[in-house]
Amino acid sequence: MKDTIEIRWHGRGGQGAKTAALLLADVAFKTGKYVQGFPEYGPERMGAPITAYNRISSSPITVHSNIYEPDYVVVVDESLLESIDVTKGLKPEGAVIINTARSKEEIAVHLHGYSGAVYTIDAKEISMKALGKNYPNSPMLAVTVAATNVMEKDAFLSEMRASFEHKFAKKPEVIDGNMLALELAFDV
């Protein structure tokens, strides 16, 4: 693994892309990494496109800016492929991770000739199965950790359980549902 991994998240307000980026920073920090996790907003309203970022490193991070040439891009809402060039600046040795029920071949036309790896996951299906609602951020977070290899699966799941138990102490069904969503998505 190179020293710093940079990730750019694309989603819509209310889908949890910002939350997933911040959770990733939190759990990576707890496993001894140096991290940054921050959003960039346009119009701050439900459904509006948002971008969030992560830097994860084994060394101190001295740069403080948006990420223009990410190693990985995570697309939480595939409808953004129609209006945003999500692959802009994406390194060819990296990957794009897309929440979609469509095949890689079907979405290739929206990737502007990107030649790197493309991962697809139906986060909605996983979320519906695990939580009974469409909350794509937990499945997208898990598949991002798996694809980027920023931490071991067991450490990730352990730290996520601790985070969920802290946030949802009085809602064990939320903890269990989110943990199931993470586990189902990690191995996709």
Side-chain angles (χ1 to χ4, degrees), residues 105-160:
E105 294 75 27
E106 289 176 277
I107 60 170
V109 67
H110 300 292
L111 300 181
H112 303 274
Y114 179 67
S115 61
V118 177
Y119 298 98
T120 60
I121 180 172
D122 191 341
K124 178 180 179 180
E125 179 185 355
I126 290 171
S127 178
M128 294 301 291
K129 181 177 183 178
L131 295 158
K133 295 183 180 179
N134 185 15
Y135 295 126
N137 60 339
S138 285
M140 294 304 291
L141 175 57
V143 75
T144 300
V145 170
T148 61
N149 203 25
V150 295
M151 69 188 78
E152 296 295 320
K153 178 182 180 180
D154 290 341
F156 168 68
L157 293 174
S158 175
E159 291 300 336
M160 286 304 300

Side-chain angles (χ1 to χ4, degrees), residues 76-94:
V76 179
D77 187 321
E78 73 175 304
S79 72
L80 293 170
L81 297 174
E82 307 282 335
S83 58
I84 297 172
D85 179 2
V86 299
T87 61
K88 184 176 182 181
L90 179 57
K91 295 175 182 168
E93 62 275 8

Side-chain angles (χ1 to χ4, degrees), residues 168-188:
F168 304 113
K170 297 193 185 300
K171 297 182 180 181
E173 70 282 358
V174 174
I175 298 166
D176 294 341
N178 275 288
M179 290 306 299
L180 179 58
L182 293 174
E183 291 174 27
L184 290 171
F186 200 95
D187 296 320
V188 169

Side-chain angles (χ1 to χ4, degrees), residues 1 25 27-35 56-59 150-151:
M1 174 175 112
V27 298
F29 176 77
K30 289 177 180 174
T31 63
K33 303 286 187 190
Y34 293 89
V35 300
I56 302 170
S57 181
S58 55
S59 303
V150 295
M151 69 188 78

Side-chain angles (χ1 to χ4, degrees), residues 25-54:
D26 187 48
V27 298
F29 176 77
K30 289 177 180 174
T31 63
K33 303 286 187 190
Y34 293 89
V35 300
Q36 291 178 348
F38 54 97
E40 173 186 48
Y41 294 102
E44 296 177 13
R45 66 189 197 306
M46 187 75 90
I50 69 106
T51 309
Y53 304 93
N54 285 113

